[in-house]
């Protein structure tokens, strides 16, 4: 499938509807069955796919609507992780989870969700997974001698899963590592873990690094300068970063360090309900074109749209698509 | 009949016995039927506000959206005001509107239609008070601060400020050590009064900064926010020695982010003292598994209309118009504040609120404050008492929810105020509205604020205000959570 220049996509999650939040809670309260919830998820994911296509995005995700949050969906599937199911009050809270023995190698069952996405869109599908560094920050380590050792073993298990996804037809996989920004001191070993995760996976790999989006708010502030030069050793094709909310100052780092990656350029602020205009989007893209050729730039939201209202999300995506078209026209492509 | 005795003080025991006897007599006399008796919920309380909006005995009837009575009735007896000798008649008068076909026969002058407390005229009076504070103070001969418990604002307490400054500087140093301290250190105080807290805070910060050699004072930007430009102008000279650090912003306490959108996620400390308890509020009753919204109607008892009207030469038929005129234009029609303020004070003291309960299911368009809706409220009430009355704290909740996005990821919001910190506390007494001088006062439903904020990704806890003995003030402390 050929993508246009400056392909557009969301980083991962689509707007979580209020009714789905209530139904998730209903499931926790045993008012609806797992079977019913799965059917609800199927319907919600189809709607999210359709919305993205209607907005005009070139690359489609499943909106991550089956996930309670970016951690629990993986913690529940990681073999060997113990979950205290009474530990959360709201579906969006994190479970108390722990690893008490070496993680066994086993399937996490992500292929099923990818297949569903791939069945319902004919456009390029992107599948997003939370990275090992992030997971080690939320799953209590009661076995491994260090966080690095724990993360490396998670990466080994997940590497199998990523290979299975590629085998199932996933051509584009995104690894989410927002906690890099909160723990820049971990980056040296974090990149090694990332490389373990993606080793031998025959798909385009993007790594998304933001400043946090928990509850729709940044968890940290700062500059992406901390990523360099360590990140240059990452064996990934794309770095996906937030620039809409934070401004484009850090774009110059790509030039300064001659970063070999494609740039996933965040042009939509997902922490603000104000809808950008296409011209604002175009301006962000023009700024990025000063440091990188259009052929290496993907146009994205800053992060997932989980916390935005659906109508706002849709309007923002439309603006993103229209803004991108302005620049494509300027480039004559 | 359910009898709830919330407070065991002075006349409570005698009043309780009196209420039981009076109700039984009314049943014997056939003035209350068995059905009505069975449904009655009588609550006896010692209203902590000497000046409030209640009669000694009041009854609150339930209604549906069509104005038809539903079989629910609360009776409130203020054991502080009650006169045992007239209890029988007071009870009968309060209960009478509940009898089908019997119209209200109380002598009163309504100032409005039944409506949400939030939009009641009493809040116009509250705004009027702040607008004409100087005139009120001149007439009483004492400053508003003196009416506060303790005689001054807890926000000005030197020990509280000192602790806060030390904690804040520790926070800054921690961020600096991790190279995460922003170039500008932004603070915000909403409701600045005379600027007294701000100047004390900056004095102490400068001193501690110099002692520790941290050199952070020049980076401080202290935003002083108030709805009144006059207040800001009056505060300005008081903070003159720190003027380089101060920024003056006119803002609406209910929507701070509107004026401060450029500081989204950038403020490291937000402080408010006794602001939330004076923001428009409304109440909800939970009874027998259903929610009822409390609608109010402000009125003046007719004997007060005669007394005050006679004294100030206002005929009864013009009384209401004169009130509205005063709220709109001030004291001109009284020939100035000298005569207008006493009228206002006597009127305010006489004003009462009638109440009725309207089932929430019958109000599909009920305007929940931002951050809350019917589903969330039901969810929050899951672990709450089944029978109780609580504040929605609409103004406080909206202010809170519209302030939180200003917080830097490592920042905190602190509020010195009177909080109900557990919904079960509402079973133990009366928490407003009361009158404080010419202003309105409500305890703030901190438990509700906490639940709403938790769902939006914040930790909320309450600390006791340890700097003054026997105080009701507590500190709501909010930070981001993962």
């Amino acid at each position: 499938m050929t993508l246009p220049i400056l392909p557009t996509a969301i980083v991962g999650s689509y707007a979580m509807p209020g009714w789905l939040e209530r139904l998730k809670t209903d499931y926790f309260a045993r008012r609806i069955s797992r079977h019913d919830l799965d059917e609800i998820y199927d319907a919600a994911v189809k709607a999210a796919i359709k919305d993205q296509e209607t907005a005009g995005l070139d690359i489609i995700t499943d909106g991550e609507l089956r996930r309670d949050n970016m951690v629990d969906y993986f913690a529940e599937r990681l073999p060997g992780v113990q979950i205290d199911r009474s530990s959360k009050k709201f579906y969006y809270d994190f479970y108390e989870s722990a690893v008490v023995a070496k993680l066994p190698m086993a399937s996490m069952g992500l292929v099923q969700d990818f297949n569903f996405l791939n069945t319902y869109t004919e456009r390029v599908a992107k599948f997003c997974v939370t990275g090992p560094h992030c997971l080690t920050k939320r799953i209590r380590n009661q076995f491994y001698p260090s966080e690095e050792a724990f993360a490396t073993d998670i990466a080994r298990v997940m590497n199998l899963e990523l290979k299975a996804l590629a085998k199932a037809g996933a051509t584009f996989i995104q690894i989410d590592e927002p906690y890099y920004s909160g723990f820049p001191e971990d980056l040296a070993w974090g990149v090694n873990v990332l490389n373990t995760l993606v080793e031998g996976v025959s798909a385009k790999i993007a790594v998304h690094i933001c400043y946090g989006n928990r509850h729709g708010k940044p968890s940290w502030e700062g500059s992406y300068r901390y990523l360099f030069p360590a990140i240059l050793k990452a064996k990934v094709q794309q770095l996906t970063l937030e620039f809409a909310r934070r401004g484009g100052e850090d774009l110059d780092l790509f030039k300064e360090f001659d970063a070999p990656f494609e740039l996933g350029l965040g042009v939509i602020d997902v922490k603000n309900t104000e809808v950008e205009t296409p011209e604002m989007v175009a301006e962000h893209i023009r700024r990025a074109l000063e440091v990188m050729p259009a052929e290496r730039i993907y146009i994205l939201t800053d992060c997932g749209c989980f916390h935005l209202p659906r109508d706002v999300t849709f309007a923002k995506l439309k603006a993103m698509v229209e803004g991108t078209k302005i620049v494509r026209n300027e480039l004559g492509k | 009949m359910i009898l709830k005795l919330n407070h065991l003080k002075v006349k409570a025991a005698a009043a309780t016995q009196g209420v039981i006897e009076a109700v039984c007599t009314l049943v014997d006399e056939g003035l209350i039927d068995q059905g009505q008796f069975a449904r009655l919920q009588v609550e006896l309380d010692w209203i902590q506000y000497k000046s409030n909006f209640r009669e000694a005995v009041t009854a609150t009837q339930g209604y549906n959206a069509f104005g038809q009575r539903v079989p629910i009735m609360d009776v409130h007896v203020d054991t502080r005001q009650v006169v045992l000798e007239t209890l029988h008649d007071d009870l009968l008068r309060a209960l009478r509107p509940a009898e089908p076909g019997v119209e209200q026969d109380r002598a009163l002058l309504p100032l409005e239609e039944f409506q949400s407390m939030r939009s009641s005229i009493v809040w116009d009076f509250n705004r009027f008070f702040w607008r004409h504070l100087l005139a009120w103070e001149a007439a009483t001969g004492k400053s508003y601060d003196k009416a506060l418990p303790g005689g001054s604002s807890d926000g000005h307490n030197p020990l509280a400020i000192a602790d806060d400054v030390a904690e804040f500087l520790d926070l800054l140093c921690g961020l600096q050590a991790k190279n995460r301290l922003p170039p500008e250190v932004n603070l915000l105080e909403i409701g600045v009064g005379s600027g007294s807290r701000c100047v004390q805070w900056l004095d102490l910060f400068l001193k501690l900064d110099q002692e520790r050699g941290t050199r952070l004072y020049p980076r401080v930007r202290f935003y002083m926010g108030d709805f009144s430009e006059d207040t800001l102008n009056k505060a300005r000279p008081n903070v003159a020695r720190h003027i380089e650090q101060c920024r003056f912003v006119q803002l609406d306490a209910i929507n701070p982010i509107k004026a401060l959108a450029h500081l989204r996620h950038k403020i490291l400390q937000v402080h408010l003292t006794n602001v939330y308890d004076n923001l428009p509020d409304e109440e909800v009753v939970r009874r027998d598994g259903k929610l009822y919204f409390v609608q109010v109607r402000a009125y003046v008892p007719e004997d007060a209309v005669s007394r005050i009207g006679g004294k100030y030469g206002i005929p009864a038929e013009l009384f209401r118009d004169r009130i509205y005129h005063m709220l709109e234009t001030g004291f001109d029609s009284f020939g100035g504040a000298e005569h207008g303020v006493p009228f206002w004070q006597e009127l305010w003291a006489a004003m009462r609120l009638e109440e009725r309960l309207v089932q929430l299911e019958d109000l599909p368009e009920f305007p929940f404050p931002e951050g809350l809706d019917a589903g969330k409220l039901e969810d929050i009430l899951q672990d709450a008492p089944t029978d109780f009355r609580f504040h929605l704290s609409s103004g406080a909740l909206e202010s809170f929810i519209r302030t939180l996005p200003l917080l830097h990821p490592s920042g905190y919001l602190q509020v010195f105020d009177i909080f109900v910190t557990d919904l079960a506390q509402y079973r133990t007494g009366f928490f407003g509205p009361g009158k404080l001088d010419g202003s309105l006062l409500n305890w703030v439903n901190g438990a509700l604020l906490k639940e709403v904020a938790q769902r939006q990704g914040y930790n909320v806890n309450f600390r006791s205000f340890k700097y003054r003995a026997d105080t009701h003030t507590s500190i709501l402390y909010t930070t981001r959570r993962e």
Side-chain angles (χ1 to χ4, degrees), chain A residues 244-245 267-274 276 302 308 316:
Chain A
R245 182 183 69 86
V267 297
I268 296 292
D269 182 356
V270 296
K271 297 178 178 70
N272 195 334
T273 53
E274 202 171 305
E276 290 82 353
D302 263 358
L308 287 171
K316 280 177 174 265

Side-chain angles (χ1 to χ4, degrees), chain B residues 11-24:
Chain B
K11 297 194 291 181
T16 307
Q17 201 167 344
V19 166
I20 295 170
E21 281 171 10
V23 172
C24 290

